[in-house]
Amino acid sequence: MESNRQLQLGTERIRKLLMRYAVPSIIAMTATSLYNMVDSIFIGQRCGEFAISGLAVTFPLMNLSAAFGAMVGIGSATLVSVKMGQRDHEAAEKVVSNAVMLNLIIGTLFMLVSLAFLNPILIFFGASENTLPYARDYMQVLLYGNVLTHLYLGLNDIVRASGYPQRAMAFTLTAVVSNIIFDYLFIVVFNLGMRGAAIGTLCAQVMAFAGEMVHFNNKNTYLRFRRSAFQFRSKVVRSILSIGVSPFLVNCCACFVVILINKGLMIYGGDHYVGAYGISNRVVFIFFMIVMGINQGMQPIVGYNYGARQIDRSIKTYKIASAAAVAIMTACFLVCHIIPKTVASWFTPFDYMIDITAHALESVTWAAPLIGFQVITVGLFTALGMVSKSIFMSLTRQLLFLIPFLIVLPHYWGTDGIWYSMPLSDTLSFIMAVVLVVRAIRKMQREGLL
């Protein structure tokens, strides 16, 4: 029965298969982004005038933590998909065990270093005298549970990739629903402020992680924990990290980009502009996470069929996923341009913050539809194991385009230079994505793979 589950990846109709894998991921990702939005609403409405700005200051550090988690989680999940496509069950289980050990080590080291230098790190990331106390209270709690976060997210990627997208969705929904309940309990009832929001997050992750442990210790699960597999294997570790380096670099660049944005907004605007960026980031994040759900649903199908040398099915999956992603980000554009002030008012009761945030929402989303195509294209190269293309695509928007814009344009346009840097870089990176994917497909056609 479990082997049939895997064989369907190579035989079932693409649209039906993509729906089966993508819809649970979309639901899970949407729920996660809605939680992040609700968390920001609780913080913005209940924790003080500068609380939402303090939350925005923590984004670079959270992105950096996510970079290490994604390197192991996405790298191992992609490798699991390929090994299953090659019918190598034993190798897939070795990937799982090595991913767990890597997350334990990396998560612990990240926690220790970050806690030791937390105040200087947050100040470097753009914290001011007004926002530092909020940012510190939030991140201290999250860092104490950093290992748990890495394990929970990494194992969820593997659950999805190993043929259980509905179960991965259930674990994510468990965390999300619990998180909202805990937020209300710790922020509203117990009045614990920013610390309460972080405690709620960790408590919810504990509940989801417990479910994952049951899954991987169940003898009926296709991939499960085996004591004999828990040995570091250098070849497996290198494979995980080489595939995961692309999402790692994406998140590292995102960390650096947010630092530049926060510092630029502090110079040309002030704390309230940092808060406006935090709000606009959360709103766009909702739609972006739906695209990431499509991407996560696509990758096991692409990876499996690539391992089985059915490249035409991989490319067809990519085309359908790209069209869906562009449609989602078009919806983001429409929302942010039709009702920006309404959306901003959900997060803050202050009129001046609403005005700043509405302008930010309109400005940063001018090229939003193009983002969907780029994300799915990076996912395609990652799933096919084309690491160099994936890395180049990952770095294009941020290193080649966005960072130079963020450095230069504010000198001429102030905060508008920061806001408009984002759609400009999205447009240029879209053009680059089109060129690379067309060349890759033509190369495969010449080599007789398509």
Side-chain angles (χ1 to χ4, degrees):
M1 181 178 177
E2 296 298 340
S3 60
N4 289 339
R5 180 193 298 271
Q6 311 312 317
L7 288 172
Q8 289 172 352
L9 287 165
T11 58
E12 193 166 298
R13 192 163 59 92
I14 293 294
R15 288 183 183 275
K16 183 177 179 181
L17 195 59
L18 188 58
M19 287 289 288
R20 179 184 302 168
Y21 272 76
V23 169
S25 296
I26 290 169
I27 293 173
M29 287 296 185
T30 304
T32 300
S33 57
L34 285 174
Y35 154 69
N36 286 324
M37 187 177 77
V38 171
D39 195 42
S40 298
I41 290 172
F42 271 117
I43 289 171
Q45 298 284 354
R46 307 284 303 199
C47 295
E49 180 181 357
F50 293 104
I52 198 73
S53 300
L55 180 65
V57 168
T58 68
F59 289 170
L61 189 53
M62 288 193 286
N63 282 337
L64 190 57
S65 175
F68 287 101
M71 179 170 60
V72 178
I74 296 177
S76 57
T78 301
L79 192 57
V80 161
S81 295
V82 172
K83 294 301 181 185
M84 290 194 312
Q86 296 169 346
R87 309 289 195 274
D88 195 343
H89 179 269
E90 182 180 352
E93 288 195 333
K94 290 176 182 177
V95 173
V96 176
S97 60
N98 277 260
V100 170
M101 292 185 287
L102 278 173
N103 273 320
L104 285 170
I105 293 171
I106 294 173
T108 300
L109 290 175
F110 187 89
M111 174 193 70
L112 294 175
V113 173
S114 298
L115 284 173
F117 303 100
L118 185 56
N119 275 14
I121 289 172
L122 291 174
I123 291 171
F124 177 73
F125 287 169
S128 68
E129 183 179 342
N130 293 323
T131 59
L132 180 61
Y134 294 101
R136 183 181 58 241
D137 284 351
Y138 190 72
M139 282 310 305
Q140 275 181 335
V141 176
L142 287 185
L143 286 170
Y144 282 124
N146 189 64
V147 173
L148 173 67
T149 301
H150 280 209
L151 286 170
Y152 154 61
L153 294 174
L155 288 177
N156 208 47
D157 286 335
I158 295 173
V159 171
R160 183 182 303 104
S162 60
Y164 298 89
Q166 289 86 1
R167 198 169 294 181
M169 175 192 71
F171 294 143
T172 302
L173 289 177
T174 297
V176 169
V177 174
S178 303
N179 221 326
I180 293 172
I181 295 171
F182 284 131
D183 262 1
Y184 178 80
L185 183 65
F186 290 121
I187 296 176
V188 179
V189 178
F190 295 151
N191 197 29
L192 294 179
M194 298 291 283
R195 287 185 180 274
I199 291 170
T201 296
L202 291 182
C203 288
Q205 289 176 357
V206 167
M207 297 182 68
F209 178 67
E212 292 171 347
M213 292 300 290
V214 171
H215 170 85
F216 282 105
N217 283 287
N218 186 337
K219 65 180 182 180
N220 295 320
T221 300
Y222 183 72
L223 296 180
R224 59 192 179 95
F225 293 150
R226 297 183 190 275
R227 186 175 300 177
S228 60
F230 276 86
Q231 298 176 17
F232 268 115
R233 292 170 170 80
S234 59
K235 184 177 179 181
V236 174
V237 170
R238 284 197 302 270
S239 296
I240 291 173
L241 298 182
S242 64
I243 295 172
V245 71
S246 173
F248 171 77
L249 292 173
V250 171
N251 282 281
C252 282
C253 285
C255 171
F256 185 57
V257 164
V258 175
I259 293 171
L260 284 179
I261 291 172
N262 284 346
K263 286 183 173 292
L265 291 173
M266 279 296 298
I267 293 170
Y268 295 98
D271 285 322
H272 293 118
Y273 281 81
V274 175
Y277 170 65
I279 294 171
S280 62
N281 194 18
R282 288 301 197 205
V283 173
V284 174
F285 192 65
I286 295 173
F287 297 92
F288 181 79
M289 289 299 276
I290 298 174
V291 171
M292 289 302 295
I294 297 171
N295 189 44
Q296 286 189 350
M298 174 196 76
Q299 285 189 325
I301 305 170
V302 170
Y304 180 96
N305 283 284
Y306 179 68
R309 309 312 293 166
Q310 298 184 115
I311 311 299
D312 57 327
R313 286 176 58 84
S314 294
I315 299 302
K316 184 176 181 180
T317 303
Y318 159 73
K319 290 179 178 178
I320 296 172
S322 295
V326 170
I328 295 299
M329 293 310 297
T330 300
C332 173
F333 170 86
L334 294 174
V335 168
C336 292
H337 284 258
I338 294 173
I339 53 168
K341 287 195 174 183
T342 301
V343 173
S345 67
W346 297 342
F347 295 85
T348 177
F350 305 105
D351 289 339
Y352 52 87
M353 276 290 291
I354 291 173
D355 290 338
I356 295 170
T357 303
H359 178 62
L361 285 169
E362 291 175 324
S363 302
V364 303
T365 57
W366 274 110
L370 308 182
I371 298 173
F373 177 82
Q374 189 198 20
V375 169
I376 299 299
T377 302
V378 172
L380 171 72
F381 290 138
T382 301
L384 293 178
M386 298 179 180
V387 178
S388 59
K389 286 186 174 61
S390 178
I391 293 173
F392 182 73
M393 275 288 302
S394 300
L395 299 180
T396 295
R397 177 182 183 268
Q398 295 162 329
L399 282 184
L400 296 183
F401 302 132
L402 182 54
I403 290 175
F405 284 146
L406 288 172
I407 293 172
V408 174
L409 295 186
H411 290 293
Y412 301 97
W413 297 341
T415 55
D416 276 346
I418 297 172
W419 300 140
Y420 289 117
S421 293
M422 300 177 212
L424 285 172
S425 62
D426 290 334
T427 301
L428 293 176
S429 59
F430 165 78
I431 295 170
M432 186 67 70
V434 171
V435 172
L436 287 177
V437 78
V438 168
R439 286 182 176 178
I441 291 175
R442 286 178 177 172
K443 181 180 179 181
M444 285 187 283
Q445 287 174 333
R446 288 196 302 269
E447 293 173 352
L449 297 175
L450 283 172

